[in-house]
Amino acid sequence: ALKECCRVLKKKGFLAAIELVVAETLPVFAKEHLTALCGLPQVPSFNEWLGHFDRAGFSGVSAKENRYPGFLDGIKEMLHFDPYQVVSQDIFTDRKLKTALKQYMRLVLQNREHLGFGTFILRKD
């Protein structure tokens, strides 16, 4: 998919990606559950993502590894609800999707010290 993104992108064009990253400390059972739940052969580490983007033909402009917030880090958002945030309620009508999202969130919360996300801004030269 990354090679195709690079192929169709105009020269000097940019790609912004936010991707799940795992630490080497993620327990094996959690890694297996995560890959099965996401339908992926693996979830790359931050450096593995950089390698994938490089092999696809992108030049890195900016890349930052972020950790998921801790349990209380989102308390401000919980106490001060943003009325302008729009979330489609239609997404929760599909029972299978709702179940999968709940499993995914539970897995992320249980393993948040081993998971994060990378923010990547890439360019096609």
Side-chain angles (χ1 to χ4, degrees):
L2 293 176
K3 286 183 181 184
E4 182 65 7
C5 287
C6 191
R7 186 188 71 77
V8 300
L9 192 64
K10 290 181 182 181
K11 190 171 185 173
K12 304 291 183 191
F14 290 90
L15 172 72
I18 300 172
E19 301 293 345
L20 178 67
V21 299
V22 298
E24 295 298 321
T25 58
L26 182 65
V28 174
F29 70 91
K31 187 179 288 190
E32 290 170 353
H33 189 189
L34 184 63
T35 56
L37 187 60
C38 294
L40 301 170
Q42 72 171 40
V43 179
S45 69
F46 182 77
N47 288 329
E48 288 171 332
W49 272 115
L50 290 174
H52 291 316
F53 289 123
D54 184 55
R55 285 186 296 282
F58 288 102
S59 298
V61 173
S62 175
K64 181 179 179 190
E65 185 172 9
N66 307 282
R67 290 280 144 224
Y68 280 113
F71 180 68
L72 297 178
D73 292 349
I75 194 119
K76 178 182 172 191
E77 286 75 21
M78 289 189 294
L79 295 176
H80 303 284
F81 177 72
D82 181 359
Y84 300 104
Q85 182 180 12
V86 177
V87 177
S88 173
Q89 294 302 312
D90 293 340
I91 196 169
F92 296 110
T93 59
D94 184 325
R95 186 177 299 272
K96 286 183 181 180
L97 180 58
K98 185 176 180 179
T99 300
L101 287 172
K102 281 184 178 182
Q103 290 174 345
Y104 177 78
M105 288 307 299
R106 187 177 312 117
L107 186 62
V108 167
L109 288 173
Q110 289 171 345
N111 295 283
R112 68 179 168 265
E113 67 273 11
H114 307 288
L115 299 171
F117 60 96
T119 306
F120 305 92
I121 308 295
L122 308 141
R123 184 180 60 228
K124 177 182 176 179
D125 290 330

